[in-house]
Amino acid sequence: MPHDYEDLEQVVYPLARIGQAMRRAQNKAIDPTRQAILQQAAVKQQVRPSELAAELDLYPSSITRQTRSLEDDGLIAVEADPADRRSCLISLTEAGWDEVRTLTRIGLDRFADFMAEWDAEDVRTLGRLLTRLETSVDEAKRRTQRPGGRPWQQRTGGE
């Protein structure tokens, strides 16, 4: 039997509330943009500021300000991009990796508190379902994503 809006409400509303609570808790620990930059640098190993801005849906000036601060704090290294001399590549320093590991541990410890009464199989089941949801979200984004560029750039010669 297919799901209906009431079924979806039973998923969407708790996820929204959990997401809001996690963002509030996260914002108390570290600036969210700062943390997002560190996480992206950890995942991608080297990342351009323009990629960070696009991925995080932030203004390039915000990325520039935060990367300067992170570099000043010794958490990231910024090097010229050999493939594009107009840009640079951001990567984590050893101190940056330590910071990411610390933030991850804090987050996991907090989440362990949330799920203290759950048995291991329930935690694994939720993990599988959330991973499946994440994949579905990515697929839906790809289906609805508009092509880049301006409309005149999309037209072919026959139009």
Side-chain angles (χ1 to χ4, degrees):
M1 180 166 98
H3 56 73
D4 60 20
Y5 281 122
E6 287 181 26
D7 296 327
L8 293 174
E9 287 174 349
Q10 296 296 313
V11 174
V12 170
Y13 295 147
L15 276 177
R17 288 190 301 269
I18 290 167
Q20 289 169 348
M22 290 179 73
R23 277 188 295 281
R24 280 193 303 272
Q26 195 175 41
N27 290 347
K28 291 177 185 174
I30 185 173
D31 178 277
T33 303
R34 186 177 171 97
Q35 183 171 2
I37 291 170
L38 289 172
Q39 289 172 334
Q40 286 297 310
V43 168
K44 297 186 177 189
Q45 304 297 309
Q46 289 188 321
V47 63
R48 290 181 184 86
S50 58
E51 293 172 17
L52 285 171
E55 181 76 25
L56 302 175
D57 196 26
L58 294 169
Y59 291 109
S61 61
S62 179
I63 298 297
T64 300
R65 205 169 26 258
Q66 288 287 354
T67 55
R68 282 186 186 141
S69 174
L70 289 164
E71 186 178 27
D72 290 346
D73 292 345
L75 299 176
I76 62 168
V78 180
E79 302 172 357
D81 182 351
D84 181 357
R85 301 301 283 174
R86 298 168 297 167
S87 188
C88 60
L89 294 171
I90 296 166
S91 59
L92 293 178
T93 63
E94 192 54 45
W97 280 108
D98 289 344
E99 181 77 3
V100 167
R101 285 188 285 270
T102 298
L103 292 170
T104 299
R105 190 181 66 252
I106 290 168
L108 289 174
D109 288 347
R110 183 72 174 133
F111 218 80
D113 288 344
F114 299 158
M115 304 184 93
E117 303 300 317
W118 291 42
D119 66 38
E121 188 55 36
D122 286 344
V123 172
R124 288 186 203 106
T125 298
L126 179 61
R128 283 191 299 275
L129 291 172
L130 289 173
T131 299
R132 183 176 168 191
L133 176 61
E134 184 178 35
T135 300
S136 296
V137 167
D138 290 343
E139 288 171 3
K141 277 185 196 176
R142 278 192 290 280
R143 284 193 308 270
T144 60
Q145 192 171 33
R146 293 176 17 178
R150 298 289 187 196
W152 59 267
Q153 293 171 319
Q154 304 304 316
R155 295 186 194 115
T156 60
E159 292 182 21

